[in-house]
């Protein structure tokens, strides 16, 4: 046995030629190193950001969000135009929601998708046109639905029979119309390179394909509800188009059946487009994805002899994920000897409270020194947080410079999606601020929590 020379690194992780390199697919396009090796994001150096805002800090590159939003919109619009239809992009707000993000994406021509009353209030507070909003969710309350109808939300995506009746009662008290879609399960579940296609679905979202026609018939009976089409979302962090093609084909059978009872002008195929978290990830380029999905719908419609509907999509991660970088300060460092080599534990001043994805899903991330370039010798590390959980992992497997030391700044890329929204105060650690960078300037878009914030809800403390 050669256990002494083998390594606890996973197979996908290759020691880089340059342990200070910044792989373009993972970082915002603006990323660079300055004259002294310091990392610069959106024209602002990591040191400057940390001097101004402390650590940890969630940095969002505004230019990157805008560029990705407009790239997605143009790619789908042009693919749709090539097939004689239109496409709209709804930004899935749950990936990262605050009024600044809403303003950026709407000014790039996107609609916004929300799934709770709270998310709806943020979008409205940002001044978004309610008619451009979509509202999802499997358990929208009567109050949430009333608020959505009253605000004039463009499309409500119905998820259950009970919701149809709730909406019917609300709309009966108004004299307006409410456009609705019906969420269905295509039985296709996709994640990264694989998809699973089943006949029966064992999950909480939407209607089974076999139950949907009766639900649509009920919607069509209700004065004031306007059925506009089907909605289907097959998963997240999906690479390739095969899962989308299979799902579209199943949903089009139902779409065709519904045409016998009236118009079905739209089809929403959800989001889930994958991004690169590490150098091992190779997501399908957006233009290819758009062409692949839209052409599958067009071919499916041609084969059935039906008109291609107006299409919509709901990416979240693909717009904000790679625009986010979290900066931490390195605290303690510890080498742990294992049977197969050794692993260096690098502790930072955040963790599962600002990024729950590694603990929740075993998500992989990457990291680089941000305050400087380190020595060229790569050392296998696990970056961990400061919480009282051994699952409190920030970056499971990475190579960092051998001279990484306490006080260094560490940058974790691709933290723009599903980090801040899933953040917590576990162990009474305050949530970090969210800071936007663009063209050499930075500003707080969501302030960080203070100790006063942390104590404010404890009824036993007088502040
Ligand atoms: C989460 C979600 C999305 C966005 O998923 P991404 O992986 O961020 O693109 C879109 N639509 C629905 C219904 C969702 O639940």
């Amino acid at each position: 046995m050669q256990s002494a020379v083998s390594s606890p690194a996973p197979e996908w992780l290759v020691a880089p030629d340059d342990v200070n390199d910044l792989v373009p697919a993972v970082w915002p396009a603006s990323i660079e190193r300055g004259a002294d090796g310091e990392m610069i994001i959106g024209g602002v150096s990591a040191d400057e950001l940390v001097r101004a805002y402390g650590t940890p800090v969630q940095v969002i590159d505004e230019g990157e969000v805008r560029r990705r939003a407009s790239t997605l919109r143009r790619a789908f619009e042009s693919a749709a135009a090539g097939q004689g239809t239109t496409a709209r992009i709804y930004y899935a707000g749950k990936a990262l929601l605050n009024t600044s993000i809403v303003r950026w994406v709407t000014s790039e021509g996107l609609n916004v998708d929300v799934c709770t009353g709270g998310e709806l209030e943020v979008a409205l507070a940002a001044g978004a046109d309610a008619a451009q909003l979509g509202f999802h969710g499997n358990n929208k309350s009567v109050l949430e639905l009333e608020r959505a109808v009253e605000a004039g939300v463009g499309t409500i995506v119905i998820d259950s029979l009970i919701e149809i009746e709730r909406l019917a009662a609300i709309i009966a008290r108004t004299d307006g119309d409410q456009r609705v879609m019906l969420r269905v399960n295509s039985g296709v579940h996709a994640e990264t390179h694989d998809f699973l296609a089943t006949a029966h679905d064992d999950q909480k979202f939407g209607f089974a394909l076999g139950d949907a026609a009766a639900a649509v018939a009920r919607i069509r009976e209700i004065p004031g509800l306007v059925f506009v089409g089907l909605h289907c979302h097959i998963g997240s962090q999906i690479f390739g188009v095969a899962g989308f093609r299979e799902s579209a084909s199943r949903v089009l059978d139902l779409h065709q059946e519904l045409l016998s009872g009236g118009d079905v002008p739209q089809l929403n195929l959800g989001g889930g487009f994958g991004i690169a978290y590490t150098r091992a990830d190779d997501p399908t380029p957006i233009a290819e994805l758009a062409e692949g999905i839209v052409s599958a719908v067009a071919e499916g419609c041609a084969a059935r002899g039906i008109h291609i509907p107006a299409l919509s999509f709901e990416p979240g991660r693909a717009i904000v994920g790679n625009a986010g970088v979290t900066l931490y300060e390195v605290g303690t460092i510890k080498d742990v000897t294992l049977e197969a080599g050794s692993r260096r534990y690098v502790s930072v001043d955040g963790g599962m409270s600002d990024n729950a994805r590694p603990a929740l899903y075993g998500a992989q991330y990457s990291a680089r020194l941000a305050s400087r370039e380190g020595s060229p010798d790569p050392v296998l590390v696990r970056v961990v947080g400061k919480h009282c959980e051994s699952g409190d992992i920030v970056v499971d497997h990475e190579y960092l410079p051998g001279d990484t030391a306490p006080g260094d700044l560490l940058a974790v890329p691709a933290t723009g999606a599903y980090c801040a929204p899933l953040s917590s105060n576990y162990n009474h650690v305050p949530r970090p601020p969210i800071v936007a960078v663009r063209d050499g300037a930075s500003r707080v878009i969501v302030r960080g929590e203070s100790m006063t914030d942390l104590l404010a809800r404890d009824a036993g403390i007088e502040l």
Side-chain angles (χ1 to χ4, degrees):
M1 280 222 351
Q2 286 191 305
S3 61
V5 295
S6 69
S7 154
E11 240 169 63
W12 59 262
L13 183 71
V14 182
D17 295 334
D18 174 3
V19 74
N20 294 295
D21 67 354
L22 303 169
V23 179
V26 179
W27 298 85
S30 71
I31 200 79
E32 55 181 331
R33 286 198 185 271
D36 298 322
E38 77 282 14
M39 190 176 282
I40 299 174
I41 313 163
V44 188
S45 81
D47 298 275
E48 198 179 323
L49 288 165
V50 166
R51 268 200 308 277
Y53 309 107
T55 52
V57 55
Q58 165 81 76
V59 183
I60 300 287
D61 184 326
E62 177 180 346
E64 186 74 16
V65 172
R66 289 178 175 277
R67 189 175 66 80
R68 285 176 176 261
S70 82
T71 302
L72 266 155
R73 181 174 62 74
R74 284 165 209 274
F76 279 89
E77 281 176 357
S78 110
Q83 303 291 351
T85 187
T86 59
R88 291 225 49 105
I89 301 289
Y90 285 77
Y91 167 61
K94 74 178 200 270
L96 179 66
L97 195 66
N98 53 64
T99 54
S100 301
I101 300 271
V102 171
R103 288 178 186 131
W104 302 345
V105 298
T106 53
S107 81
E108 297 300 332
L110 269 56
N111 294 25
V112 177
D113 211 49
V114 296
C115 67
T116 63
E119 289 188 356
L120 174 60
E121 289 311 322
V122 175
L124 294 174
D129 176 2
Q132 305 295 314
L133 302 180
F135 190 17
H136 277 286
N138 65 300
N139 185 22
K140 305 179 203 74
S141 69
V142 171
L143 272 179
E144 287 174 320
L145 290 169
E146 280 172 348
R147 176 72 175 126
V149 169
E150 170 226 16
V153 163
T155 308
I156 296 179
V157 182
I158 290 180
D159 199 282
S160 66
L161 290 171
I162 288 172
E163 192 178 356
I164 298 176
E165 303 311 323
R166 281 181 183 170
L167 263 180
I170 293 166
I171 208 75
R173 298 196 293 269
T174 72
D175 51 9
D177 281 345
Q178 178 62 54
R179 289 147 55 91
V180 299
M181 299 189 100
L182 192 83
R183 180 158 178 181
V184 294
N185 293 320
S186 62
V188 175
H189 301 270
E191 200 178 336
T192 313
H193 292 288
D194 298 318
F195 75 86
L196 172 76
T198 59
H200 298 283
D201 242 332
D202 194 2
Q203 54 119 332
K204 70 173 184 172
F205 290 111
F207 287 82
L209 289 173
D211 300 335
V216 171
R218 174 68 189 128
I219 292 170
R220 282 171 165 164
E221 284 173 5
I222 297 168
L225 291 191
V226 182
F227 175 72
V228 295
L230 297 172
H231 174 285
C232 181
H233 172 74
I234 60 171
S236 246
Q237 185 58 2
I238 302 165
F239 293 176
V241 297
F244 291 105
R245 295 181 77 101
E246 174 62 29
S247 178
S249 149
R250 291 172 172 215
V251 173
L252 281 176
D253 285 336
L254 175 63
H255 179 97
Q256 178 179 22
E257 186 188 333
L258 296 176
L259 285 169
S260 61
D263 262 3
V264 190
Q266 299 181 20
L267 176 64
N268 185 324
L269 290 173
F273 311 150
I275 63 165
Y277 284 94
T278 75
R279 67 174 71 227
D281 294 329
D282 61 337
T284 313
I286 291 300
E288 208 177 295
L289 200 65
E291 283 299 332
I293 299 173
V294 173
S295 67
V297 176
E299 286 157 25
C301 290
R304 290 167 180 80
I306 59 178
H307 277 301
I308 184 167
L311 302 175
S312 42
F313 299 90
E314 303 166 339
R317 186 192 315 266
I319 293 170
V320 291
N322 295 107
V325 175
T326 307
L327 297 173
Y328 300 97
E329 185 178 309
V330 173
T332 59
I333 296 182
K334 186 183 286 185
D335 287 329
V336 175
T337 306
L338 306 168
E339 244 173 84
S342 75
R343 193 192 307 283
R344 182 163 294 177
Y345 277 80
V346 174
S347 298
V348 296
D349 51 357
M352 63 191 291
S353 56
D354 58 80
N355 186 356
R357 295 188 66 256
L360 263 183
Y361 315 119
Q364 301 295 333
Y365 282 86
S366 51
R368 282 289 173 261
L369 278 190
S371 35
R372 64 186 178 98
E373 287 192 309
S375 59
D377 52 319
V379 172
L380 181 69
V381 305
R382 174 166 292 159
V383 181
V384 295
K386 63 180 287 157
H387 295 277
C388 293
E389 297 274 342
S390 48
D392 173 28
I393 289 166
V394 178
V395 183
D396 208 6
H397 305 282
E398 179 58 294
Y399 286 98
L400 284 181
D403 66 347
T404 299
D408 278 333
L409 296 180
L410 197 71
V412 175
T415 57
Y418 303 109
C419 290
L422 285 168
S423 65
S424 74
N425 287 131
Y426 185 42
N427 294 140
H428 276 63
V429 171
R431 288 180 181 84
I434 306 179
V435 171
V437 291
R438 189 185 192 186
D439 300 333
S442 69
R443 67 191 165 96
V444 172
I445 57 172
V446 178
R447 75 168 172 81
E449 280 171 327
S450 63
M451 273 303 155
T452 313
D453 290 326
L454 281 185
L455 302 183
R457 291 164 62 240
D458 187 324
I461 299 174
E462 281 182 36
L463 291 167

